[in-house]
Amino acid sequence: ETSDAQRAWKSLVDAVGTLDQVQIVQVSDSYLHAVVPTQQPPGLYSPLSAMANGDEGDYRKKLATSPGWDDIEFLLRPEDSLVLYRSASRTSVFVYPLTQPVSDGNTNLQRLEKIRKQLGWSLLN
């Protein structure tokens, strides 16, 4: 299904829709943005998602049950027969005295690899 850009794009949109707990935020003929609850590091919660779920007075309770989010984006470039992609956590956790964020356990990379393998697409070298 990769010889026709629009068929390949539809297959990609369908594959992203099968991810566990995914929420597709925006989709067009050449751009897809989805969010997935953060898996790593465990216990990471986003104040923004807690606030978006309702009353500010219940903020602390919602904060304890609302996950952080990972963004997944895809951009189709049919003229080049390419799909550009990225997956990244919105929030980084730093543990003193480290100056690098705590690893996400490669969950973003694994998610993209799962989609690529499901579609049978190869990487460019």
Side-chain angles (χ1 to χ4, degrees):
E1 294 186 15
T2 58
S3 60
D4 178 289
Q6 289 309 313
R7 285 183 62 196
W9 184 252
K10 182 180 178 340
S11 296
L12 173 65
V13 172
D14 292 344
V16 170
T18 66
L19 294 175
D20 190 36
Q21 298 182 334
V22 71
Q23 295 176 26
I24 294 179
V25 176
Q26 180 181 353
V27 66
S28 70
D29 290 341
S30 60
Y31 177 76
L32 175 114
H33 176 210
V35 294
V36 182
T38 296
Q39 300 298 315
Q40 293 287 338
L44 177 62
Y45 297 103
S46 166
L48 294 176
S49 61
M51 295 287 286
N53 289 331
D55 177 58
E56 190 173 337
D58 202 19
Y59 169 74
R60 291 191 193 283
K61 183 177 178 185
K62 286 182 176 58
L63 183 61
T65 59
S66 300
W69 296 101
D70 293 344
D71 289 291
I72 310 169
E73 294 180 289
F74 297 91
L75 179 65
L76 174 67
R77 289 185 26 188
E79 65 278 3
D80 297 324
S81 299
L82 288 175
V83 173
L84 306 175
Y85 58 87
R86 79 174 196 100
S87 181
S89 299
R90 288 185 182 177
T91 306
S92 296
V93 175
F94 292 85
V95 179
Y96 181 80
L98 301 177
T99 58
Q100 293 182 328
V102 175
S103 171
D104 71 348
N106 285 332
T107 56
N108 286 300
L109 177 61
Q110 291 169 5
R111 185 180 300 120
L112 291 172
E113 282 294 306
K114 178 181 177 182
I115 293 167
R116 186 184 63 77
K117 287 178 182 177
Q118 181 179 343
L119 294 169
W121 294 0
S122 59
L123 290 172
L124 294 178
N125 293 327

